[in-house]
Amino acid sequence: MEIDSEGLSRFFELMFEHLDEKQRRLLAGGMARLIGRGGPTAVAETSGMSRNTVIAGAKAVDVREAPNGRVRAEGGGRPRLEDVDPTLLLDLDDLVEPDARGDPMSPLRWTLKSTRQLASALQEMGHQVGERSVAYLLHAMGYSLQATAKTVEGAQHPDRNRQFEYINALAGKRLAAGQPVISCDCKKKELVNGTKANAGREWQPTGRPERVDVHDFPDKEVPKAVPYGVYDVGGNEGWMSVGDDHDTGAFAVNTIRRWWQTMGSARYPKASTLMVTADAGGSNGYRNKLWKRELAALAAETGLAITVCHYPPGTSKWNKVEHRMFSFITKNWRGKPLTSYQVIVELVAATTTETGLRILAEWDQGYYPTGIEVTDAELADLPLSGHDWHSDWNYNLTPSKRK
């Protein structure tokens, strides 16, 4: 059958803009069947689709698959760019921040750079990203195109921006005075099993990849690692405790304790205060009474006056430990099955960056039961005092045993 390649290409160009992905696949497959021998190749060349996609469409036509319904199989589609490329968000934020208006930690910023310029700069840095993806990431990160009127999109706490300004101002003063400021959070829990897949790729001998399970469904029998991290903002150092029990307030504070004992006290021998920035929820949430009780105990042990500032609800992506530490850990262990707790610890400790990031890690085999209640009376007896601004988000714990 003689094929008018130019006409066929024009046909697909006109039709595809009116169809969704599944309908395009069916149309291409039907045309391939109509052409007969050599049809998949001809359709692939004129439509811009891959030959395998055209063949899949032809098979769908053979079984009379309906042109409506689900476009892709459940679980289909590409993974998120920020999951495949952990440093993408960090590099994009660094590119935009110098030209961003307002406080660099405010929830909504106005950028003067175009998505095309940003995509080009990211590509030069080795990232595979286009301008549409840059626009999506900027929106997710809280940026907006410059306009004559500034508007905050979505449901946000009315004091969100002022809380960021408060944290930045206080952290700046502490750092200038040589006092430690840390950012802490729990990284995503990981399966500890050599047969489970870990996202990403690494260099291996040809034809000898690591063998893992086809499926990666949750399994109660497979143990999980609980990686809780502490990032020293002034020292560009990190500590991670890899737990094997539960992510509780006691576990979170013990990680801070181990950071101080192992790294912090040596770097800040004259420290009298410690500023802790944390998310609003989870084991280090501002409503977590156990977290506060354990911090009071840590203050008494170390003699440090501890100041805690929580990021507003829904803003965990601004936590420094996420961008300055967790992203590089993810990059370092990509493609490697996490076969044991010790392997996780070694991979974390082997994480470094060109800017000099250093991370120490250990396996915390402590017992951290859930369900421990701290009564209101116990809470009231802690040496805890709230700040004048949002005392629920910002508070001090003094080394004294009583208020």
Side-chain angles (χ1 to χ4, degrees):
M1 179 178 179
E2 187 174 347
I3 301 172
D4 178 4
S5 298
E6 185 176 344
L8 191 57
S9 179
R10 180 61 179 160
F11 169 75
F12 286 127
E13 183 180 343
L14 290 172
M15 292 300 298
F16 277 3
E17 64 180 83
H18 304 292
L19 306 175
D20 62 27
E21 184 179 333
K22 182 176 184 180
Q23 292 165 345
R24 293 174 191 169
R25 198 161 56 239
L26 290 172
L27 178 63
M31 184 60 73
R33 285 287 184 261
L34 181 64
I35 293 173
R37 183 178 179 81
T41 300
V43 170
E45 291 175 350
T46 54
S47 68
M49 289 183 166
S50 73
R51 189 170 181 276
N52 287 340
T53 300
V54 175
I55 292 173
K59 292 179 179 179
V61 170
D62 292 342
V63 298
R64 299 178 181 273
E65 186 174 316
N68 51 12
R70 195 180 186 92
V71 175
R72 298 184 181 183
E74 188 170 358
R78 296 179 180 179
R80 298 187 307 171
L81 282 172
E82 54 266 44
D83 292 337
V84 176
D85 188 352
T87 62
L88 176 59
L89 287 179
L90 178 63
D91 289 340
L92 176 57
D93 193 53
D94 287 343
L95 282 174
V96 178
E97 186 169 352
D99 289 336
R101 296 188 176 184
D103 193 295
M105 289 299 287
S106 63
L108 188 63
R109 293 183 283 185
W110 288 262
T111 177
L112 303 176
K113 291 185 176 180
S114 71
T115 53
R116 179 172 296 182
Q117 290 172 319
L118 292 169
S120 177
L122 288 169
Q123 290 165 10
E124 291 178 3
M125 297 167 72
H127 299 289
Q128 296 183 1
V129 63
E131 58 182 286
R132 288 188 178 182
S133 296
V134 168
Y136 165 77
L137 292 172
L138 285 172
H139 180 74
M141 292 167 67
Y143 285 95
S144 170
L145 288 174
Q146 182 178 344
T148 54
K150 299 179 181 181
T151 57
V152 179
E153 299 176 357
Q156 299 176 0
H157 195 286
D159 294 330
R160 179 178 176 177
N161 188 39
R162 287 190 61 191
Q163 175 65 3
F164 277 117
E165 294 172 349
Y166 186 81
I167 292 174
N168 286 346
L170 186 55
K173 291 178 181 178
R174 294 292 178 88
L175 291 171
Q179 299 294 319
V181 177
I182 62 172
S183 169
C184 60
D185 196 15
C186 187
K187 195 178 186 297
K188 181 177 72 71
K189 296 178 179 64
E190 301 287 348
L191 296 176
V192 185
N193 188 309
T195 65
K196 298 300 181 183
N198 196 11
R201 297 182 296 175
E202 66 170 350
W203 289 102
Q204 297 277 9
T206 302
R208 291 167 57 189
E210 295 277 1
R211 307 295 178 179
V212 296
D213 290 349
V214 174
H215 301 293
D216 195 17
F217 301 122
D219 188 343
K220 293 182 179 180
E221 301 302 319
V222 177
K224 289 185 178 180
V226 186
Y228 195 95
V230 172
Y231 176 69
D232 178 355
V233 178
N236 193 29
E237 292 182 335
W239 171 270
M240 178 167 282
S241 290
V242 181
D244 57 15
D245 196 36
H246 297 99
D247 178 25
T248 67
F251 173 63
V253 173
N254 194 55
T255 302
I256 298 174
R257 177 182 289 107
R258 293 295 297 134
W259 164 78
W260 177 254
Q261 294 171 344
T262 309
M263 305 176 77
S265 58
R267 176 171 281 275
Y268 304 98
K270 297 181 179 180
S272 58
T273 66
L274 170 63
M275 181 174 175
V276 179
T277 60
D279 290 350
S283 59
N284 46 229
Y286 71 94
R287 291 192 179 98
N288 193 317
K289 297 178 183 179
L290 181 60
W291 156 260
K292 294 177 180 178
R293 189 185 76 177
E294 295 298 315
L295 280 175
L298 179 62
E301 292 170 20
T302 60
L304 295 171
I306 299 177
T307 297
V308 183
C309 293
H310 293 275
Y311 291 103
T315 60
S316 60
K317 61 178 175 292
W318 299 108
N319 201 335
K320 291 288 185 184
V321 72
E322 296 281 350
H323 299 294
R324 303 299 180 184
M325 182 171 150
F326 288 170
S327 62
F328 296 109
I329 292 173
T330 300
K331 184 178 180 180
N332 191 57
W333 70 25
R334 64 185 179 187
K336 298 182 179 69
L338 306 178
T339 55
S340 69
Y341 290 100
Q342 193 57 42
V343 166
I344 294 175
V345 167
E346 290 173 358
L347 288 171
V348 170
T351 302
T352 58
T353 68
E354 293 181 359
T355 58
L357 174 66
R358 181 174 74 107
I359 303 175
L360 297 183
E362 72 175 4
W363 178 9
D364 186 339
Q365 301 181 58
Y367 176 53
Y368 300 100
T370 59
I372 294 179
E373 290 190 18
V374 176
T375 65
D376 291 339
E378 288 181 274
L379 185 64
D381 200 39
L382 297 179
L384 186 152
S385 59
H387 294 193
D388 292 337
W389 167 254
H390 260 289
S391 59
D392 52 344
W393 292 345
N394 309 290
Y395 47 89
N396 297 326
L397 291 142
T398 58
S400 58
K401 296 182 180 180
R402 297 284 178 183
K403 292 179 72 174

